[in-house]
């Protein structure tokens, strides 16, 4: 299977405080030679000052810890690195329960989640919490790294026991693809290179899994959804009558000559041309950013959506969603919020909190309906105009929303339409 070298893989890391998350990310960057020389020199100097013989890999991500101590609100750190086979963005999210919202933020766009488990402790509450959030966000691929295998004498039995523990609770969740890798981030076993200490493990090391993970099929290629972000009217020579609609193709494929409906008006037309940058192309597929012109002159503005005539989202003013509350102030009953859905912005109110979820036990709480910071719950929302929505499990782009407090302009909730 050929992997596109320009393909970008976003992955998130989750684990408890001492599971070795910083060391794992440091090891990935260090062994894949993705660290600038000045960064490496600074870390080597600091390691020497601390009296360590080698490089303290955790220091490559330790700038974040200072940020956390300063109380930065959404402290998700993004790390970028490239190998000859693929480009990567790591969303490094904190693991404590009070940072549930941070994990939701960092994981919302991820193709894969790396969940770290300390081989000495096995599956703990944090593991269950992180796996539940990954399943709620429909992250297509989960890689469970069982770390610190050097501290349990690289025993296969310990590794297999942890797999059994993980599978016992994860069977209740909606997870499509789970892989397990026994690693030692500190010594580099099965991170970038295969381990000599665990010859019983026949699988690939972590970096190989990340480089070869098939993510093209994770994008919905069936339902064509093109939310219009802006209307292009250059009004210059050669483009006097040009009227293009620019945006990012959320899902599906759009071809020149396709018959499309414009929502919410319902008018139909055909695709006259598609441009990607300064090139005209015959077809576009998600997640390309494109400009489209139509055969007919239709009044289209930001927030409208182009879809195939025979495959349309379900417009509705009443929606139900699982939301994670992100704000310090609790949700106010019947309060008005601004709802953002793709490029569409409108007023909305939370009609009802149906239940809250205990993210440690997955139990539904039908009694306590106060949504406070880091709470996850199912709500009913009413919007001023119909929303061109899909279920989140079908389409992560057109199935997601955020709520903004009108008075402070703060993002207060992120939601997945059910």
């Amino acid at each position: 299977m050929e992997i596109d070298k320009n393909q970008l893989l976003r992955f998130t890391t989750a684990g408890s405080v001492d599971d070795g998350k910083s060391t794992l990310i440091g090891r990935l960057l260090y062994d894949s030679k993705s660290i600038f020389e000045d960064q490496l020199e600074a870390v080597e100097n600091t390691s020497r000052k601390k009296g360590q013989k080698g490089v303290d890999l955790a220091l490559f991500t330790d700038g974040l810890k200072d940020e956390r101590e300063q109380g930065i609100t959404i402290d998700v750190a993004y790390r970028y690195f490239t190998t000859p086979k693929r480009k990567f963005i790591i969303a490094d999210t904190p693991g404590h329960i009070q940072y549930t919202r941070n994990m939701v933020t960092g994981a919302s766009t991820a193709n894969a989640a790396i969940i770290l488990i300390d081989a000495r402790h096995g599956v703990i509450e944090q593991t269950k919490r992180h796996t539940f959030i990954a399943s709620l966000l429909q992250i297509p691929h989960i890689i469970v790294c069982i770390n610190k295998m050097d501290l349990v004498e690289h025993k296969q039995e310990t590794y297999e026991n942890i797999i059994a523990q993980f599978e016992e609770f994860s069977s209740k969740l909606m997870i499509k693809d789970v892989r397990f890798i026994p690693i030692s981030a500190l010594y580099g076993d099965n991170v970038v290179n295969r381990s000599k200490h665990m010859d019983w493990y026949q699988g690939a090391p972590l970096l190989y899994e990340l480089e070869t993970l098939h993510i093209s099929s994770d994008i919905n290629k069936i339902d064509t959804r093109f939310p219009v972000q802006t209307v292009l009217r250059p009004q210059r020579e050669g483009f006097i009558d040009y009227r293009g609609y620019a945006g990012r193709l959320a899902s599906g494929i759009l071809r020149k000559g396709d018959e499309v409906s414009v929502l919410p008006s319902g008018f139909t037309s055909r695709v006259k041309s598609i441009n990607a940058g300064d090139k005209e192309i015959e077809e576009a597929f998600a997640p390309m950013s494109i400009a489209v012109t139509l055969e007919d002159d239709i009044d289209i503005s930001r927030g409208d959506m182009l879809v195939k005539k025979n495959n349309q989202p379900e417009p509705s003013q009443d929606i139900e969603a699982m939301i994670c509350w992100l704000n310090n102030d609790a949700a106010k009953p019947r309060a008005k919020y601004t709802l953002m859905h793709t490029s569409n912005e409108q007023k909305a109110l939370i009609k009802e909190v149906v239940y809250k979820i205990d993210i440690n036990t997955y139990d539904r709480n039908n009694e306590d309906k106060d949504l406070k910071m880091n709470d996850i719950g199912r709500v009913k929302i009413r919007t001023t105009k119909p929303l061109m929505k899909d279920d989140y499990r079908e389409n992560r782009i057109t199935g997601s929303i955020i709520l903004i407090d009108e008075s402070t302009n703060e993002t207060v909730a992120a939601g997945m339409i059910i």
Side-chain angles (χ1 to χ4, degrees), residues 125-181:
E125 234 174 52
Q126 292 277 65
T127 314
K128 294 181 179 179
R129 188 180 304 123
H130 296 146
T131 309
F132 171 71
I133 292 170
S135 114
L136 188 70
L137 290 165
Q138 299 277 302
I139 296 176
H141 310 279
I142 291 177
I143 301 171
V144 180
C145 287
I146 298 164
N147 192 21
K148 305 195 180 181
M149 287 298 291
D150 51 301
L151 300 179
V152 293
E153 299 168 5
H154 305 102
K155 283 184 186 164
Q156 183 176 359
E157 188 188 354
T158 306
Y159 169 69
E160 286 174 352
N161 285 342
I162 292 171
I163 291 178
Q165 288 173 27
F166 188 92
E167 287 178 337
E168 187 186 346
F169 82 87
S170 67
S171 61
K172 304 169 195 164
L173 305 172
M174 284 176 65
I175 300 172
K176 296 171 189 167
D177 173 29
V178 186
R179 298 153 195 233
F180 299 91
I181 306 175

Side-chain angles (χ1 to χ4, degrees), residues 232-300:
L232 303 175
R233 298 294 306 274
Q235 298 292 323
R236 67 172 195 264
E237 198 174 333
F239 293 92
I240 297 298
D241 296 322
Y242 184 88
R243 187 185 180 90
Y245 309 104
R248 191 178 187 193
L249 192 55
S251 58
I253 299 168
L254 202 57
R255 295 183 178 89
K256 201 171 165 179
D258 276 352
E259 191 171 10
V260 291
S261 292
V262 181
L263 299 179
S265 67
F267 287 117
T268 59
S269 183
R270 285 192 183 276
V271 175
K272 186 177 178 184
S273 71
I274 304 172
N275 279 75
D278 56 359
K279 288 182 186 161
E280 188 168 333
I281 54 177
E282 290 298 309
E283 66 173 17
F285 43 86
M288 288 173 69
S289 294
I290 54 173
V292 174
T293 63
L294 300 179
E295 299 278 5
D296 303 283
D297 192 10
I298 300 172
D299 183 19
I300 299 174

Side-chain angles (χ1 to χ4, degrees), residues 174-199:
M174 284 176 65
I175 300 172
K176 296 171 189 167
D177 173 29
V178 186
R179 298 153 195 233
F180 299 91
I181 306 175
I183 66 166
S184 168
L186 189 61
Y187 298 107
D189 292 291
N190 287 332
V191 179
V192 172
N193 305 306
R194 287 188 68 87
S195 170
K196 295 171 187 168
H197 303 108
M198 292 178 273
D199 50 10

Side-chain angles (χ1 to χ4, degrees), residues 6 32 72 85 89 117 156 212 218 237 248 333 335 338 402:
N6 292 314
S32 63
I72 289 175
K85 292 186 180 169
I89 297 178
I117 295 177
Q156 183 176 359
T212 57
D218 298 339
E237 198 174 333
R248 191 178 187 193
T338 298
I402 60 170

Side-chain angles (χ1 to χ4, degrees), residues 190-249:
N190 287 332
V191 179
V192 172
N193 305 306
R194 287 188 68 87
S195 170
K196 295 171 187 168
H197 303 108
M198 292 178 273
D199 50 10
W200 45 263
Y201 171 69
Q202 297 301 306
L206 174 62
L207 184 64
Y208 180 85
E209 289 283 9
L210 291 170
E211 285 181 331
T212 57
L213 207 57
H214 183 61
I215 57 172
S216 299
S217 58
D218 298 339
I219 296 167
N220 180 328
K221 293 193 175 74
I222 298 163
D223 308 314
T224 301
R225 307 285 185 260
F226 180 60
V228 175
Q229 286 184 15
T230 189
V231 180
L232 303 175
R233 298 294 306 274
Q235 298 292 323
R236 67 172 195 264
E237 198 174 333
F239 293 92
I240 297 298
D241 296 322
Y242 184 88
R243 187 185 180 90
Y245 309 104
R248 191 178 187 193
L249 192 55

